Amino acid sequence: MTDNLTPEGIPEPEGEVNLIDTDYSIGQDNIEGSVGPFGFDIHNPVFLVSGLTIVAFVFYALALPDQAADMFGRLRPFLTSTFDWFFLGAANIFVLFCLLLIVLPLGNVRLGGDEATPDYSYIGWFAMLFAAGMGIGLMFYGVSEPLSHYSTSMGGITVGEDGVRTDWAPLGAAAGDETGAIRLGMSATIFHWGLHPWAIYAIVALALALFTYNKGLPLTIRSAFYPIFGERIWGWWGHVVDTLAVFATLFGLATSLGLGAKQAASGLTFLFGTGDSEAGTRAFLGIPYGNADPAVDSTMLLVLLITAITAIALLSVVRGLDGGVKVLSEINMGLAALLLVFVLLVGPTMAILTGFGANLWAYIQNLPALSMPFGRDDVNFAQGWTSFYWAWWISWSPFVGMFIARVSRGRTVREFVIAVLLVPSLVCVLWMSVFGGVAIQQVVQDGYTAVQDASLEVQLFEMLKELPLATITSVIGIVLVIVFFVTSSDSGSLVIDTITAGGKIDAPVPQRVFWATFEGAVAIVLLLGGGLTALQAAVISTGLPFTLVLLLMCFAIFRGLMSERR
């Protein structure tokens, strides 16, 4: 890592770059001071507007939970049905743009200058970007999504009285065709976890890295828009972009933290709970949870879990990037790899390995149809699954993109895009093929329907239950969810703090503590104010305006790379 840092903590370019000549200095709009022993260095007005708005949202959802739940319940179906074409079309543009950068001479540009060297090894780099990018989601959906798509594909097409399909199967389904349903279900799952989400992350990460390390601008989202707006990005145009990034990041994180809390609570109750689920007496440490009738369950367990795990995240925040996130990410990647290899070896190994290639080929074959933004008959799948996923990834993109940018200096654009786009996509294909493949085999070959009938957050543990060392692997699964929660919260607070500190990456630690605390608070109020529906509605509503930001970012990246030495 270079020792040449700007006063704001950003590495100086090494070698020839084309710096942007601007009178703006990082932090010139900031308010500095202290409250007792705690210092602060915040951007005015980005911190104040975003911070006060989020605090107000938390109090609103707590004060009027029924009203908030009703609002979230109406918001999600409206947004996904109205703007599904926009989400799907934009995501296709992001993938094509990234693939172009791999083959064009622009890919030779090195982030940080033509003499810059990488700050982290490949192993450390992959571990950090992967743990931050998708950890909790892979744990939550690794079993449940392939199973869901397989089941709906086998069920075939159903049409309502109005002539609109009412089933949730992707494309044309595969009624009665077991092999066809498996391949369609796996290709639909891979579609949601492969090229498209990682292209979204790559766009934001590349824009931030290019305009920070090669152009000398602050590490904030607004910097990427200098080729479009010029000096106006230091005014209200930039304030709006950065504030949108804060909202998108925080609500995207809150959705993932909520999913993680539900899965951790379900896993703990599944392993160590007492009582009978059907009788409504299932509980963990005396707190009702995991019952067949969700109305019996108490949200107290979720609140306690989010509070406890957020407290652990605060310890990681205080330790900093190298002492906190990096160490936890590498531990988690080791545990995830261990669990993956174990399930692969004790499950139907040959079926999984042959399925990996077949699933990948099915994904390639179905990719044009799955990514089609217009004229879709499978409206429930396209709107309920794909639109939600693209909004979720887009809302995560400021957080994951800035984090990847922080750890990617010294890579060429081509190396960067290949690594960020292709390598994690293949890992996701492998993960889904192993976990989803084993669960589907349990249903198809063994007739084990408990995994299929369980709620989404319990399906991972039902699948592990049928394998050797079930208690140990389930505990590892819970630990993975919790540590992914911690790394996401820590990384997210780092990114939000950087944006709300005007691009400074060495802002006072108490500010990151504030954001980490409120990430947990927003997750709690969303769960209390509507559960999973509220989480999804929040992420879609913040992902929608940020999609337009990413489209403009593609043009800005092209303009920025054209001025660099290739």
Side-chain angles (χ1 to χ4, degrees), residues 31 36 46 70 117 124 144 154 185 241 273 298 321 336 361 366-367 370 387 407 435 457 460 480 494 514 517 521:
I31 302 172
V46 172
D70 181 64
T117 55
S144 60
M154 278 291 286
V241 167
S298 170
L321 181 64
W361 177 241
N366 290 322
L367 182 58
L370 287 168
S387 293
V407 298
F435 284 83
E457 55 266 27
L460 169 67
L480 279 168
L494 170 73
F514 168 84
T517 302

Side-chain angles (χ1 to χ4, degrees), residues 1-48:
M1 184 176 291
T2 180
D3 295 325
N4 300 320
L5 302 177
T6 67
E8 297 76 26
I10 297 173
E12 294 274 12
E14 299 178 72
E16 185 176 336
V17 293
N18 186 19
L19 292 171
I20 289 176
D21 184 20
T22 177
D23 294 330
Y24 183 85
S25 59
I26 298 176
Q28 73 175 36
D29 295 328
N30 284 19
I31 302 172
E32 297 184 52
S34 61
V35 178
F38 305 113
F40 61 85
D41 187 355
I42 59 176
H43 185 277
N44 179 32
V46 172
F47 182 95
L48 297 176

Side-chain angles (χ1 to χ4, degrees), residues 62 77 120 136 184-185 210 257 297 404-405 410 422-423 437 448 484 519 544:
L62 288 175
Y120 299 97
I136 290 176
L184 180 57
L210 176 66
L257 302 187
D297 292 346
I404 294 174
L422 301 183
V423 175
Y448 178 62
F484 275 133
E519 285 160 18
L544 179 62

Side-chain angles (χ1 to χ4, degrees), residues 403-473:
F403 188 74
I404 294 174
R406 286 282 301 269
V407 298
S408 299
R409 198 187 68 88
R411 309 286 178 185
T412 66
V413 169
R414 182 174 294 109
E415 178 186 18
F416 172 90
V417 174
I418 290 173
V420 175
L421 193 64
L422 301 183
V423 175
S425 294
L426 289 173
V427 174
C428 287
V429 175
L430 179 61
W431 184 279
M432 294 298 184
S433 295
V434 171
F435 284 83
V438 168
I440 291 173
Q441 287 293 317
Q442 288 176 345
V443 174
V444 174
Q445 301 294 335
D446 306 334
Y448 178 62
T449 58
V451 64
Q452 192 174 25
D453 298 335
S455 60
L456 292 181
E457 55 266 27
V458 179
Q459 287 182 332
L460 169 67
F461 305 107
E462 285 284 4
M463 183 271 287
L464 293 174
K465 179 183 173 183
E466 292 299 294
L467 302 179
L469 306 176
T471 302
I472 295 174
T473 55

Side-chain angles (χ1 to χ4, degrees), residues 338-349 352 434-435 438 463-464 467 473:
L338 185 66
L339 185 61
L340 180 73
V341 171
F342 175 81
V343 174
L344 174 63
L345 293 179
V346 302
T349 307
I352 293 171
V434 171
F435 284 83
V438 168
M463 183 271 287
L464 293 174
L467 302 179
T473 55

